[in-house]
Amino acid sequence: MSTLCSDAGPASEKLDEKNAVQIPEKEHNGDVAKADLAESKETSKEGGSAHDVFTFQLKVILPHEPHTVDVVVSSAEQFQEIRSVVTEFPGTFQYSCFHFEHNEKPVNDYIEVFEIPGLIANPVVTLVEDPYTEKDARGHILRVRDLLGVGGDRTDTISGILSGTALHDSIVPRSLITTMNPETSSAPPKPPKGHEAFNFDFDFNQPGSVNTLLPPNKDPAPKAIKSIALSAWNPPPYHLRQRGHLLYLQIVTNEGEQHHITSHISGFFVNKSTNSKFDPFPRSSPKNFAAHSLITLFGMISPSFPSAFLALQDYNNQSEPLALYQFANSIAASPWMVPSSTSPLCAHQPDLLRSQETLLLAGSDNIDNLRDWNEEFQATRELPRETLQERVLRQRLLFKLYAEFNDAAARAAVTIARGEVLPLNPGEEPDARIFVMNNVFFSSGVDGVGTFVAEGGDEAARAATGKDVQGVKAINQLDISDLFTPGTIVVDYLGKRIVGQSIIPGIFRQRDPGESQIEYGGVEGKDIVAANQAFVPVFQKVSQAVRSKPHAVWDKEGKRHDLEGSIETKGLMGLDGRKYILDLYRITPLDVSWLENHWTDPEPKVEGTDAAASMGYPHRLASLRLELVEAFWKFKMREWVTAEVEKKRKARKEVDGTNGMTQKSSTEESSAKSEPKANEESSIEQERIDISDFKFSLNTDILTGQKPNTDEEREEWAADEKDVRAACEFLTSKVIPELIRDLKEGDVGYPMDGTSLTRLLHKRGINIRYLGNIVKLAEGPRLLPLKVIALHELLSRAFKHVANGYLKTLPIPFAHACLAHLLNCLLGVKLNPAPTPEIDESLRGLYPKVELKYTTVTPGSLKDEIESQIRRRYRIEWEPEWTAEMKHMQLLREISLKLGLQLEAKEYQFDEIHSPVPATQITKALEGNLNGKSKKKKKNGDVTHTPSSEFSDSSQGVVTFMADNILHVVPVVKNSIPKSILAEETLEAGRMSIQEGHKELGQELLLESLSLHEQIYGIIHPDVARAYAALSTVYYQLDEKLAAVELSRKAVIIAERTLGVDSAETILNYLNLGLFEHANNNSSAALLYIKHALGLLKMTYGCNHPDSITTINNAAVMLQQLKYFHESRIWYEASLVICEKIFGRQSVNAATILFQLAQALALDKEPKAAVNRVRESYNIFLTELGPTDRNTKEAEYWLEQLTLNAVSIAKQERGLLDRSRAKWLEITPRGSLTRSQMQLRQPSPVVPKSSESSSTSRRISLDSRSIDELLKYIEGNSDASTRKTAKKTPTTPGTNPKSRGRRRPLP
C-alpha cells in the first residue's frame, strides 16, 4: 500500500516450525511466484496492459487547507488504496465523500494507477468533494465519531473487553526505540541514568503477575467535543427528503453550547431547531455555519475545537500507528484477563450515539445488512485469474468477503445462542431447529434429526461440524475452478455450538418424493448413492489433491457405484447451475487402528451414569489429518523412489557383467577413476526417475460398512484396508516418536502453551486424541515441560466438555455463576474444599422449570467427570501425582481461552495459606516496567496491590472465584478462511532466491510478498504479522538490522492485537525483537523486551521453560555489553539452574553455560569462582566430547589463563597483605587489630596495566606447579580474613572473555 509498502516484516525457521499451520500442508512453488513477478515486469507495455512496477510521488490538490498533499504510490496500486491513504493524513481527516480527477476527468477508484493515460507523465490529481447520500452521511458521522473518540469504546459481543489491545508502547520508552532515521541510526538511544531500563532485577522463581497482561493506566485523551448524537427529529419528513435533507444531529461543544445540525446532500449546516421546536433550515447570518465536513463545521462553531483536535492528534501520535489502526479483515483478540469494571481502562461513558450505531451502520430499513452472501462468494470466485493483477484483485475481494461474512455470522450466532431469534421450525425439538439471520443459515451442532445415531449421536455431530469447517478450508485452499463451497463458520458460545452457512440456491425448495438435489455421493445416508458423471472432473481434482483413492461403494440393493471420494461427501447442483461440494468431514480415511482399539458399537441405552463411558471413545468419526496423509504419501514415494533406484542399479550391474573381461583388464588406476564415475552415473539415474509414475492414494471409506460383492472387489478392498492400516501405523510408530525425539534433542521449537502444542501436533499430522500417547512418551526431566503442557491441555479440554454439558441448557443469567462454581471445584479446592454455588433467588423464580444441575456439583463429582472425559477421549488414566504438577494460573488461562472467558485481573488465591510478603516481592519484581515508577514508589505502593487486598473484595471471602469475576464471555470462532497462495509463494520464492545468491531479486520478491500480504489480508491480520516476522529474520540475516528491527516491531504489535498479548507467537516476536535491537547496539531496549517476554512466558507456562535457557543467556550477554557484569553473572546462574533441571549437571548444555558463567565471574572480579566453573566445564566437555573436541580445547585454554590470572591476583594480595602487616607492626607493637580496622586501613590493590599484565603473565607462566597445586595455593595458603576482605582484581584486557559471549549465537 502507498505509505506502508516500504515497511516490511520477519520470522526464523524455528519460528515457522512453531507457528505454521496449513491444511493441507503444501510446498510453495517459488518458480511460479518468480514467473508471476517476471510476467508483471517483462510483458509488453503496449496498450498499458502491463508495465514495470515502480513507485513515484503523486500530488493531490485539495479544496481546503493545506491545499496540496504528496503521496508515494506504486504504479500497480488501485486508486481506492490511495483514497484510503489520503483520508488518514492529519491534514485530510475531514474528507470522506469525494472522488479524484485527472485533467478534469473523473478517475475510477477500481483501476490501477498505470492505466490512467498521462498520469505518470503528469502525476497530479484533484480531490473533488461529492454530494452526500444517506449512506455516505452515516459513514461520515461514524468516522468523525471515531476520530474524535467521543463516547469511548463500543460494547462488542464478538470481541469483548479491551479487544485488540497492544502493550508494546508501554514496554519500552519511545526514547529507547531504534528508528529507521539515518541521522540517528549510528548512535543507538541511551537511557538516562536512574531510568527503569537500568533496573535489570528479575525474580526467576516467583510466579507470573497478571499485571504483565494489562495495559498501563493512561491520562484520558483530550476531548475536542463533548457529544455527538442523532437528533430526536429524525428521520426527515418526506417533503424535506425531496429537498436533500438526510439526517439531523445534535452536538454539544466543549463550551457547553448545544447545536442542531442538518445533514444535507451538500454537506452539514447548523439549523434553527431546538429540543422542542423543529426548524431544520440554516440559521441567519452571522451564525449560518456550513461546511462539507463535520470536522470543519465544528471548528467554526467551537473556538476551542481546533486546538483540542490538535492536542488529540498529538495524544494519538504517542502510540505506534499500528496500535490504533482499525480492524478490517480479522477479529480482534480478546484478552482472557482484563481490568475490573471500575478501572479507568474500562470506564463506561454516556454516549447516545452508541445506541444509535446500528442505525448508522445498516440504515433505517436495514438494507445494508441484507446481502446475498452465497452469490457474492461464488461470483467473486468466478472472477478472472489469468494475470498477476487479476489474481491479486480476486484474492483481495475474497478475503474481504470472508471477513465480513464471519463477522456477520458470528454476531448472528451469538444472538441465536442467547435465544433471541425465532426459528424457521418452532414446532421441532430445540436441537433440530434451524434459523436464518443476516441471510445466513444456522443450525445446532448436535444430532437433532438422528443422522449420527450409529456414529455417536451428539458427540459425532459436534465432531462432524468441526471437521467440516476444516474440510471446507482445505477445499478453499485448493481453489478448484467450477467447484464451489458455501461460506461456513462454527461458533461455540456458552456450551452451544452453532453452525452457519451461506444459503445455497434451492436448498429450501420443496421437492417431490424421490427427488433430491444431491447428485453425487450418498443421498440418504448410505442407502441411496448418486453418481452424476458431470461431477467427476471436479471431484477428481479434489481426490488427487487430498490423496483420496477412487473406489467403489454399494447402495442398499448391492448396486455398485464408483466415487472419487467418500460416500459422505456430497455434490449438489444449485439452482444457479453451480456445482457445490458439501459434508467435508470425511475427506480423509478413518483412523482404523484407533477405532478398533477404543470404539465400541452403541448398544441399547441402559439406565445409569456409566452407559456413555461403556461406549469407549465418544464417536466413530476419528479420522486421519490431511497433514498425516500428505506425510505418509511422501514416505511411500521415498520408498518407491528407493526401489526404482535399486532396480536401475541391478540392471546396470547386469549390463556391466557382460563386459566383465574388459573390466578385469583395466589397471587399478583406471578402476579407481571409474568408481566415482559410477557413483555419479548412479546419482544421475536417480535424478532421472520420473515421479509422475508414482501412484498412491487411500480409500476414504474403509471400515464404514461397505460390503464388496465379488472376490476381485474384496481383494481390492483388502489391499486398500492394508494401506490405511499402514498409514495408522505410520502415525503411531514413526510420526509421534519422531516428534518426541525432536523435542528431546532440541531440533524443534518447544511449545509454550496448549495452543502452540496443538499447532505443533497438527502440523505433524497428529490428532489431539493422541495427547495421552504424548504424556506416556514424555518421560525424563528433558520432556517434563512437554508433559506438563500436555497434562494442562488434557485437563482444560476435559473441563471444557464438562462445562459445556452444564451450560448448553442453562439460561444465560446463570452462566457466570455456573462457571465460577465449576472453577472453584477445580482450582479452588485447597482454599475451600466444599464451595457453595451462587444462586440469585430472584432470577431463579423467573425460571421455575429449569433444573440448575451445576448446583449439585462438588469437587469430588467434578473430578470424576473430568477423569471420565480424559479416559474416554484420550485413553489414559489420570494419575493422582499429576495433580501436584498442575499450575493453577496456567490451567486457568487454558480454560479461559477454550471457553472464551474474560476474567477480572487479580491475583487469585488458590491455596489456603497465604503470606503477603512474597506477593509484595512479586509485585516489586514484575510490575516495575509496566507501572513505570521508581523503585521507592513501587515499594511504598505495593500494599494496595497485594493478593490479600484483592481477595478482601470478595463478599464470601472463602472461594477463589465469584460470579462477578467473570466479566464477559466471548464466542470461540472456527472459520474456513484459507491462506493466500500467491502471497505465500512469493515469500518462499524470495527466500529461495536469497539462498541461491540472488540477493536483489530475493529482496524484491520479499517486498512484493509483503505488499501482497497487506493488500490481500489487510494491515491488521495474523498472517501479515507472520509475514513481518519472517521478513525481519531474513533482513537480519542479510545484515539489514535497522529494517529487521522495524519489521519485527510491526510483527509484535499486530500479533498482540490479533493473536493475543500473551500468545506464543507474540512472545517469540518479542524475543526476536530483543535480538534485533541488541544487534543494533540498543541492548537497553532489547533487555526490556526480553524481560517482558519472560514475564509473559511465566503466565503462559510458568517458571523454567526450556526456551528460557537461551533467552536468559542472551540477556546475560547483553548485560555484559552494557558493562553490568554483576547482573550478567546473576542471569547466567539463573540459566544454569534451569539447564541443570532439564538437561542435567553433566550435560554439554550445562558445560557451555558453565563456561560462559566463568567468563562472567572473571568480569565480576571473582577469579577463584571463575576457575572453579571453567574447570567444571572442562571436565564435562572432556567426558562427553573427548579431548580433541574444539569446545574441550577452548575450555582447557581458558582454564589455564584464568588459573594464571588467579595466581597473579593471589600473589599481589599476599604481597600487599604482608607489607600492610609489617607497617602496622611497626606502629602498634602490642594488641590485635579488629576486622573493622583491617577493612578501613587496608590499601586497595593496584590494577596492573596492559604491559605489566603481559610481563606478569610471562613470569607466572614459568611456574612448574600443576593447575591443582596452583588452585591449592590460591585457596589454601591465604588466611580466611584475607580471602573475605581483600578486593578482587578484574581480569586483564588480554583475557577478557567478552569476545566469546559475542560469538555465541542468539536465538
Side-chain angles (χ1 to χ4, degrees), residues 97 129-134 136-137 240-247 262-269 291-292:
C97 185
E129 296 173 335
D130 287 335
Y132 283 96
T133 63
E134 183 185 326
D136 295 332
L240 294 180
R241 283 176 178 264
Q242 298 181 97
R243 300 183 61 175
H245 289 213
L246 303 175
L247 294 168
T262 297
S263 172
H264 191 264
I265 58 173
S266 61
F268 300 86
F269 59 83
H292 191 267

Side-chain angles (χ1 to χ4, degrees), residues 67-86:
H67 298 299
T68 61
V69 64
D70 294 329
V71 185
V72 177
V73 301
S74 168
S75 58
E77 285 187 271
Q78 295 182 348
F79 254 89
Q80 64 174 352
E81 300 173 37
I82 303 175
R83 179 191 186 96
S84 63
V85 170
V86 168

Side-chain angles (χ1 to χ4, degrees), residues 28-43 388 391 981-1006 1008-1009 1012:
H28 296 301
N29 190 345
D31 294 335
V32 175
K34 292 179 184 177
D36 286 337
L37 183 64
E39 172 193 345
S40 67
K41 303 184 75 175
E42 298 176 4
T43 315
L388 176 64
R391 292 177 67 189
I981 300 176
L982 180 60
E984 296 293 331
E985 284 180 351
T986 310
L987 177 61
E988 188 62 26
R991 285 175 170 171
M992 292 170 55
S993 298
I994 291 175
Q995 291 175 359
E996 294 168 0
H998 307 295
K999 182 177 177 181
E1000 292 184 1
L1001 175 61
Q1003 287 183 307
E1004 189 175 356
L1005 285 166
L1006 292 176
E1008 180 69 17
S1009 170
L1012 291 173

Side-chain angles (χ1 to χ4, degrees), residues 82 252 340 400 427 498 522 607 665 695 882 939 958 1051 1072 1150 1236:
I82 303 175
V252 178
S340 66
K400 183 176 183 295
I498 307 296
E607 294 294 332
S665 63
K695 305 294 182 183
W882 292 347
K939 185 175 181 180
V958 293
N1072 278 351
S1236 61

